[in-house]
Amino acid sequence: MQISFNGTAHEVAVDVRTTLLDLAREHLGLTGAKKGCDHGQCGACTMLVNGRRINACLSLAVMHEGDAVTTIEGLGTPGQLDPLQAAFVRHDGFQCGYCTPGQICSATGMLDEAAMGWASHVSGDLDHVSLSDDEIRERMSGNICRCSAYPTIVDAIREVAESAA
Ligand code: FES
Ligand code: FES
């Protein structure tokens, strides 16, 4: 099957039981996305598939023939950080860092969802979405941080959301 990761096309032959997360980590050496729970509960494995965030541990690789996948490795480089990566560093939005690739991929997808006007469970006005801290927390609720860096994660995401507004 053909699949692209971070703009690079790959021709891969995988067992039908291989998840998208294991394809990236075990077959392609893209170890940025982490395996936390392997059950869709922690968000550490979050990737963007054709721009939408998903839990890669819950999705079989063979479902992604022709898809364009973005992992944390595709968002920025150590010398040229993506705005969210830079904001997470500035605000100390992590401690051990295990959840961080998933947090940043998820925040990237979440900011796009908000920009498209998608309401969340806590949106008061379904026609005009504005990213309050409650909105950010709700929209990032699928990404667990065992170090509980939540306040500074919200600070980092809020800064990027405000700079884009
Ligand atoms: Fe995928 Fe936890 S490893 S949600
Ligand atoms: Fe350690 Fe989030 S920084 S789990």
Side-chain angles (χ1 to χ4, degrees), residues 67-137:
D67 281 349
V69 183
T70 305
T71 64
I72 192 70
E73 290 93 338
L75 289 181
T77 62
Q80 196 165 8
L81 297 179
D82 162 271
L84 275 166
Q85 289 172 319
F88 269 63
V89 171
R90 255 195 313 281
H91 290 276
D92 266 341
F94 49 86
Q95 195 174 87
C96 76
Y98 199 81
C99 72
T100 313
Q103 299 277 2
I104 291 176
C105 283
S106 188
T108 301
M110 180 275 274
L111 290 175
D112 285 345
E113 291 160 18
M116 288 187 285
W118 294 9
S120 83
H121 182 64
V122 299
S123 301
D125 181 346
L126 299 184
D127 294 322
H128 299 97
V129 168
S130 79
L131 282 181
S132 64
D133 285 4
D134 279 350
E135 283 274 4
I136 293 173
R137 286 190 205 99

Side-chain angles (χ1 to χ4, degrees), residues 21 34-46 55-58 142:
L21 179 61
K34 299 295 184 270
K35 185 180 283 189
C37 63
D38 213 15
H39 288 291
Q41 294 177 352
C42 72
C45 63
T46 306
N55 288 336
C57 70
L58 284 188

